[in-house]
Amino acid sequence: MPISSGLPQGFNAHAYDAIVVGASFAGSVCARRLAEALGYRVAVLEERPHVAGNAGDYLDLQGQSRADCLLRARTPRVSGFFARFADQLDPTEDDPQDFPSSACASIFAAMLDHDLIDVICDVDARGLISFDETHVLIGGELYGGEVVYTGPLDVLFDCDLGRLSYPAPGHVPEAAPGAADADRATIDPASGDLYERYLERIEEVTNFHLAGRVAEYRTYDMDAAVEAALELSDELIACHS
């Protein structure tokens, strides 16, 4: 897994079958599965100088920030997938399993360690991605591969309709752990409407896919985010197999 910093001069998007924006939960899961299942060459573009995103960011109910917290894999599929890359998870265990967010760096590095995956950090995708009526453009050129985007949708359009107010992580109701429809209950309705207006701009774009809490504008937890990324990658694999 080559990791570089900054988009190299002469970067050729067409050398890749897929481009994944973001190296946190959703992006890393999709990148690994596309490389493994389809033999796709994948470029992972990460805005931060490291992989694993903000996995350690957390606000407790008192609004206090914790540098480290326990992340929970509740479903067998999520536990089994992460167990491939984390020594502390047991793929034969049916009960929910916890692991510290401080372990995410090594887990994600292992997940992205594949001969067909290139990780490029310190890349702001806002100046790279644009759209025509039905396709993604990378660097102003039509891109025929798949794009998985995990960042804020509003910033791709320079927030020209207004800035979205993103919910803080860690506030998913306990009554619905891992549920993909326990998502937008705590999002301000006006901001939710604004998100839908941005979403309308890409609804006809066939090769652009949103993944993860920020891009999908959901408040779901890690388990649901990973489950959704697995389902998205299932769809892409089925389409191209």
Side-chain angles (χ1 to χ4, degrees):
M1 175 194 60
I3 298 181
S4 57
S5 177
L7 202 66
Q9 187 174 7
F11 172 76
N12 181 14
H14 303 292
Y16 297 95
D17 303 293
I19 293 175
V20 175
V21 178
S24 189
F25 290 107
S28 297
V29 168
C30 288
R32 180 72 188 209
R33 297 207 70 223
L34 293 178
E36 274 189 337
L38 293 175
Y40 271 16
R41 189 172 180 203
V42 182
V44 178
L45 309 181
E46 170 56 56
E47 184 176 14
R48 301 175 185 85
H50 56 79
V51 301
N54 289 333
D57 287 359
Y58 180 85
L59 295 178
D60 62 22
L61 294 180
Q62 286 71 47
Q64 300 297 313
S65 176
R66 294 166 55 185
D68 195 18
C69 62
L70 286 178
L71 299 175
R72 175 161 292 182
R74 294 181 174 90
T75 69
R77 190 178 188 194
V78 172
S79 297
F81 185 80
F82 271 117
R84 298 174 53 200
F85 313 105
D87 294 337
Q88 61 266 55
L89 295 180
D90 182 357
T92 66
E93 179 62 58
D94 292 331
D95 294 331
Q97 299 185 65
D98 293 337
F99 61 96
S101 60
S102 57
C104 281
S106 61
I107 292 172
F108 282 59
M111 195 183 304
L112 292 168
D113 187 11
H114 192 284
D115 289 343
L116 294 174
I117 298 176
D118 293 341
V119 180
I120 309 173
C121 293
D122 295 306
V123 175
D124 187 347
R126 286 178 291 184
L128 195 63
I129 295 176
S130 57
F131 306 93
D132 67 9
E133 293 291 330
T134 57
H135 287 87
V136 181
L137 283 71
I138 304 294
E141 296 184 359
L142 189 69
Y143 178 67
E146 301 289 355
V147 176
V148 176
Y149 179 76
T150 70
L153 185 56
D154 54 346
V155 302
L156 285 182
F157 299 99
D158 295 323
C159 301
D160 60 358
L161 298 177
R163 186 173 294 277
L164 291 169
S165 175
Y166 285 87
H171 288 202
V172 179
E174 274 299 316
D181 56 356
D183 315 329
R184 304 183 184 176
T186 61
I187 292 176
D188 175 69
S191 199
D193 290 343
L194 179 59
Y195 175 78
E196 294 296 332
R197 292 170 62 195
Y198 280 116
L199 200 59
E200 289 174 1
R201 294 181 170 181
I202 60 167
E203 61 184 357
E204 301 298 328
V205 179
T206 58
N207 60 336
F208 185 75
H209 312 279
L210 301 175
R213 179 182 63 86
V214 174
E216 297 182 64
Y217 206 57
R218 300 181 186 274
T219 60
Y220 54 24
D221 61 11
M222 178 210 78
D223 210 55
V226 172
E227 194 78 56
L230 290 169
E231 291 173 1
L232 171 60
S233 55
D234 282 345
E235 295 173 10
L236 294 175
I237 290 166
C239 285
H240 296 285
S241 295

